Amino acid sequence: MRKVPIYTALILAFILAATNIFAQYDQEKDEKLSFINEAPYKTVTVKSIEGEKVKNVILMIGDGMGLTQISTAWVANRGDLNMTKMPFTGLVRTYAANKLITDSGAAGTAMATGQKTSYHSVGVDVNGNPLPSLTDLAKAKGLSTAVVVTCGLTDATPAAFCANNADRDMEEELAADFLDCNVDFILGGGRDKFIKRTDGRDLMKEMEQKGYQVTRTWEETSKINSGKVFAVLEDGQLPMAEKRDGIWQHASMKAIEMLSKNDEGFFAMLEGSRIDDCGHWHDIPKLMGEIFDFDQTIGKVLQWAEKDGETLVIVLADHETGGLTLLDGSIENGTVKGHFSTGGHSDIMVPVFAYGPQAEKFVGVYENTDIFKKISEILNLLP
Ligand code: MG
Ligand code: ZN
């Protein structure tokens, strides 16, 4: 009967190892579900704008940033955020034309073009026909335009403004669409899709031939003060907030400064793209880092808009990600504890915050397509 103790020992060892692995996994999971903000930041205070004239519109999209993501960040930053201090608020319904739970493709298209489209489509209607986006229409009216994101440029949100395709996964085709999008200041990641292509084209070079100043680092980009910019800073997405050195924030302000030289005005779409990733990963510490970077940028943008006096700033999300619930925390100590209910998106309405002339037009409950309608009306973009 010598075998029995050996088997017993083996089984016991296996159980012990498994328990250990599960305990470690649980601990890691727990660490991702709570957060303490050791260094809260100060928000800005801006005065309300008197006039009615809107020369510029800055649309800031927090991808996957639902109300609970914002509430969680508000608690973690000791009961203070720039976006929740903006004077006018609304709620937006996000569903796609053919699916209740949307994606960034259909949701981005709704905001960029004013039409609900199919899940996974970018810049096209339900039949696959290309639609003009806010950047196209603004450009046609003589305004300057910018798209500044932390994801790859062929990701769904920037693609909804710059490309047209029934399938957002056709990233090489989306990359080629950037050649004709005519946006003045483009910054993001996703370089691989422009140079490591099955058709052998070098789209970075082709953008240069189109008259763009093509850059690969923020350092190079930061030195440019006029002309068109095509900055693709990474092979994939830009790094997460803790390793990004504030690049998206600097790039957003750079784009605004450069675009504001146009007397006709400008339209800028600035996206905090990676908020969504943190929802998919169920990672609250990283989620807070992304929202804080997004919100601190909002603070800078609001101060700029206050000085300008003719700039409308709109902050919203394309949809919620992760089905986040805020379960516990402390406003005093900046602690939060959450729970995610899905690995995907949810269909809860998302908040809109607005500041500047005609910001009151964003009050109420409406469709994501109304974002396009309101902006195009305010800027008089439609024929
Ligand atoms: Mg996005
Ligand atoms: Zn997502």
Side-chain angles (χ1 to χ4, degrees), residues 152-199:
L153 288 169
T154 52
D155 275 7
T157 315
F161 286 82
C162 300
N164 313 92
N165 207 299
D167 181 1
R168 63 179 272 187
D169 291 337
M170 304 300 286
E171 289 188 76
E172 289 197 6
E173 290 181 16
L174 302 181
D177 283 354
F178 276 78
L179 281 160
D180 303 313
C181 81
N182 209 13
V183 170
D184 299 285
F185 190 108
I186 303 170
L187 182 140
R191 196 188 297 136
D192 281 356
K193 306 292 183 300
F194 292 87
I195 50 173
K196 289 182 191 159
R197 299 171 56 84
T198 48
D199 61 9

Side-chain angles (χ1 to χ4, degrees), residues 1-8:
M1 301 300 282
R2 280 173 53 209
K3 278 179 181 171
V4 175
I6 291 166
Y7 283 132
T8 314

